[in-house]
Amino acid sequence: MAVVVSNANAPAFEAKMTVYVFICVIIAAVGGLIFGYDIGISGGVTAMDDFLKEFFPAVWERKRHVHENNYCKYDNQFLQLFTSSLYLAALVASFIASAVCSKLGRKPTMQFASIFFLIGVGLAAGAVNLVMLIFGRLFLGFGVGFGNQAVPLFLSEIAPAQLRGGLNIVFQLMVTIGILIANIVNYFTAEVHPHGWRIALGGAAIPAVILLFGSLLIIETPTSLIERNKNEEGKEALRKIRGVDDINDEYESIVHACDIARQVKDPYRKLLKPASRPPLVIGMLLQFFQQFTGINAIMFYAPVLFQTVGFGSNAALLSAVVTGTINVLSTFVGIYLVDRTGRRFLLLQSSVHMLICHLIIGSILAKDLGVTGTLGKAQALVVVIFVCVYVMGFAWSWGPLGWLIPSETFPLETRSAGFAVAVSCNMFFTFVIAQAFLSMLCGMRYGIFFFFAGWIIVMGLFALFFIPETKGIAIDDMRESVWKPHWFWKRYMLAEDDHPDVEKRSA
């Protein structure tokens, strides 16, 4: 399939969607599969009695009391630390991964990620005490930090501009598939006593091995090669992934971007300059808003949540499988629409969509679920349905676009550093939600859904006024085509033009 990449301010770049690029996209996106598996496996494992008896006996004893407070029976800081420690490690790892991405390339960074994953899986699945379990989660966190740093950048840099959105969202698709697989594994291993939880945690080794050996088959991105002064290799890589002979214009565009990038000695200092503010602010706030939609609260603890509203353990795990399936299918909708309707439409539509779902779920729980007892079957079914509808809206919008937009909007000189800030923000806010959710559920009860609804209103307004459309625009032409014409962000571009930084003067 041939496409021509162009916009009003840049030359056309001819490209084909080659089989090789498709294979590279699938292999690289396995990093998202591992991330999703880790998200999904946590909630199911923490609902397994064998796991709780082994590491969290106080929670297990509390869970056995059927008249225990519906909203508080899982409230335990160490139990939350089991989930959240991964994201704290990923926060730190993302900055290390940024340097590795720049110095060694996107491909080696993914290989490091797979090695960290394998070490973490061994420690977690073989844990004999809480310390070993947490250290396993920390190594998994380093894998997540390295993988989430490298994979979206890799996908954005090898994709033709007019297909970049859909190809980048394959990462989020793999995240959703990982969550679904984890939910299915949880459902079946919950009945394997006493070590079903070890099988569940150990399952992450399979995609980690696929990523490790699959990454030997993929190409390094032309941008990364040229950035590291391997111009001829970069040119050949560009010719290979574009599937056409006439790649000179795009090659010269990348060389020009790399020349500018080399003038920047400290990319993190450059991020503080006015011209870096638009993609930096949007990249950071997208991560905040993505987590404060409430999605990971639902995905981490879906089995726990469904038990809270009245489902038994097996039914709760099965309900989580259903929501995981919807998550995967809805991500395909995002892949189809993102390069057709654009990014902003999906963000705005889903904000209204998710807001309605939160309000309905919160209202049902407020009206019908007391501190003890359960929901009636009809009300519980309605809650599950609206959780599924909510997941649909997130899966085709704020989920994938939270990764796509920061990966495509930073200029090359700050791309790796800027995306590292975005990834670290995502991990930080994921950590906050993972560590706090069960306590918030205990303290706020049904009000937690109204809490997330309030943030959805804020993020919808932010998308309406401050997030520009980036559909079809070449990745190295964002400044001229996106930021300078924008009603608000153009002031930072003009400030940079009027007061160029020292690095530009010395150049």
Side-chain angles (χ1 to χ4, degrees):
M1 179 175 63
V3 297
V4 176
V5 176
S6 64
N7 58 63
N9 301 306
F13 299 144
E14 186 180 354
K16 291 180 181 178
M17 180 58 207
T18 64
V19 173
Y20 182 68
V21 167
F22 179 76
I23 292 171
C24 288
V25 166
I26 296 300
I27 291 174
V30 170
L33 184 69
I34 307 172
F35 182 38
Y37 189 89
D38 285 325
I39 290 174
I41 212 70
S42 302
V45 167
T46 54
M48 294 182 187
D49 287 345
D50 291 324
F51 178 78
L52 293 175
K53 281 189 285 186
E54 182 88 17
F55 298 104
F56 307 99
V59 177
W60 180 66
E61 286 293 337
R62 193 186 312 160
K63 179 184 175 184
R64 293 171 64 200
H65 295 94
V66 295
H67 297 298
E68 185 67 54
N69 187 312
N70 268 323
Y71 295 97
C72 298
K73 58 187 174 184
Y74 288 95
D75 182 21
N76 180 281
Q77 288 299 309
F78 286 108
L79 181 61
Q80 292 173 136
L81 183 63
F82 163 73
T83 296
S84 65
S85 57
L86 183 150
Y87 303 96
L88 193 60
L91 188 160
V92 175
S94 61
F95 289 102
I96 302 172
S98 171
V100 175
C101 250
S102 296
K103 299 296 183 184
L104 300 181
R106 286 43 164 162
K107 179 176 171 177
T109 308
M110 287 186 269
Q111 292 169 335
F112 279 120
S114 61
I115 292 170
F116 283 128
F117 280 128
L118 288 172
I119 295 171
V121 168
L123 287 171
V128 294
N129 54 52
L130 185 58
V131 172
M132 189 174 174
L133 185 70
I134 297 300
F135 266 95
R137 296 290 288 177
L138 291 175
F139 271 99
L140 287 170
F142 262 76
V144 167
F146 272 67
N148 287 13
Q149 172 70 20
V151 173
L153 289 181
F154 177 88
L155 297 178
S156 286
E157 289 179 348
I158 70 167
Q162 290 186 348
L163 300 175
R164 188 175 61 243
L167 293 181
N168 192 283
I169 290 178
V170 174
F171 173 75
Q172 179 68 17
L173 174 65
M174 287 294 198
V175 173
T176 64
I177 291 173
I179 293 171
L180 174 59
I181 292 172
N183 288 334
I184 294 171
V185 170
N186 283 333
Y187 179 71
F188 286 105
T189 57
E191 298 303 314
V192 179
H193 304 289
H195 297 306
W197 62 271
R198 294 189 189 275
I199 299 172
L201 292 176
I206 297 173
V209 169
I210 293 173
L211 180 62
L212 179 60
F213 290 101
S215 62
L216 300 176
L217 304 176
I218 65 177
I219 200 166
E220 183 58 87
T221 72
T223 299
S224 177
L225 290 167
I226 296 169
E227 183 182 24
R228 291 178 288 125
N229 294 308
K230 299 180 179 181
N231 288 34
E232 285 305 311
E233 291 180 46
K235 193 169 188 176
E236 286 307 308
L238 186 62
R239 184 174 284 112
K240 186 172 185 178
I241 65 173
R242 293 294 178 252
V244 297
D245 292 325
D246 185 14
I247 47 89
N248 287 332
D249 287 342
E250 185 172 5
Y251 171 74
E252 292 300 329
S253 174
I254 295 172
V255 169
H256 177 67
C258 290
D259 288 340
I260 294 174
R262 290 189 190 102
Q263 297 172 17
V264 178
K265 305 303 180 186
D266 186 348
Y268 288 99
R269 182 181 175 190
K270 178 71 174 177
L271 282 175
L272 300 177
K273 301 293 182 180
S276 298
R277 210 157 295 161
L280 181 65
V281 170
I282 288 175
M284 293 173 69
L285 286 179
L286 277 172
Q287 311 313 313
F288 174 84
F289 289 139
Q290 187 191 72
Q291 296 310 309
F292 277 76
T293 61
I295 183 63
N296 275 343
I298 286 177
M299 286 302 178
F300 283 146
Y301 301 112
V304 174
L305 182 64
F306 289 136
Q307 283 188 36
T308 296
V309 299
F311 288 83
S313 294
N314 286 345
L317 290 170
L318 183 59
S319 299
V321 171
V322 172
T323 59
T325 303
I326 290 170
N327 196 16
V328 172
L329 296 177
S330 300
T331 304
F332 281 105
V333 176
I335 292 173
Y336 178 79
L337 292 178
V338 68
D339 290 315
R340 291 171 170 81
T341 64
R343 283 66 160 154
R344 291 183 79 249
F345 172 81
L346 293 177
L347 292 174
L348 294 170
Q349 179 278 329
S350 64
S351 294
V352 176
H353 181 139
M354 292 187 293
L355 174 64
I356 293 171
C357 292
H358 270 311
L359 293 176
I360 291 175
I361 294 169
S363 297
I364 291 173
L365 298 186
K367 179 175 179 292
D368 297 317
L369 183 66
V371 173
T372 58
T374 62
L375 284 177
K377 288 185 178 179
Q379 293 96 326
L381 181 61
V382 171
V383 167
V384 171
I385 289 172
F386 275 97
V387 165
C388 293
V389 174
Y390 162 85
V391 168
M392 289 170 58
F394 179 87
W396 64 54
S397 61
W398 288 89
L401 297 182
W403 299 107
L404 168 61
I405 293 173
S407 75
E408 67 182 1
T409 50
F410 284 99
L412 180 59
E413 60 265 30
T414 57
R415 187 171 301 156
S416 185
F419 195 66
V421 172
V423 171
S424 65
C425 285
N426 185 282
M427 295 301 106
F428 174 74
F429 293 120
T430 305
F431 166 77
V432 169
I433 291 295
Q435 185 64 28
F437 174 69
L438 291 178
S439 297
M440 291 169 67
L441 183 64
C442 179
M444 300 173 70
R445 297 191 290 168
Y446 58 81
I448 195 169
F449 290 94
F450 298 121
F451 171 80
F452 289 129
W455 282 112
I456 288 175
I457 293 172
V458 174
M459 65 195 239
L461 292 173
F462 179 79
L464 178 63
F465 291 109
F466 296 106
I467 297 182
E469 185 54 69
T470 53
K471 178 184 72 170
I473 297 172
I475 194 169
D476 290 312
D477 195 45
M478 293 292 171
R479 178 185 172 94
E480 297 298 323
S481 299
V482 173
W483 306 121
K484 280 191 173 182
H486 191 269
W487 73 273
F488 181 80
W489 300 119
K490 66 182 179 182
R491 68 190 68 187
Y492 297 101
M493 302 297 112
L494 295 174
E496 186 80 358
D497 291 340
D498 292 340
H499 303 286
D501 56 44
V502 175
E503 291 163 316
K504 286 185 177 177
R505 287 187 187 132
S506 63

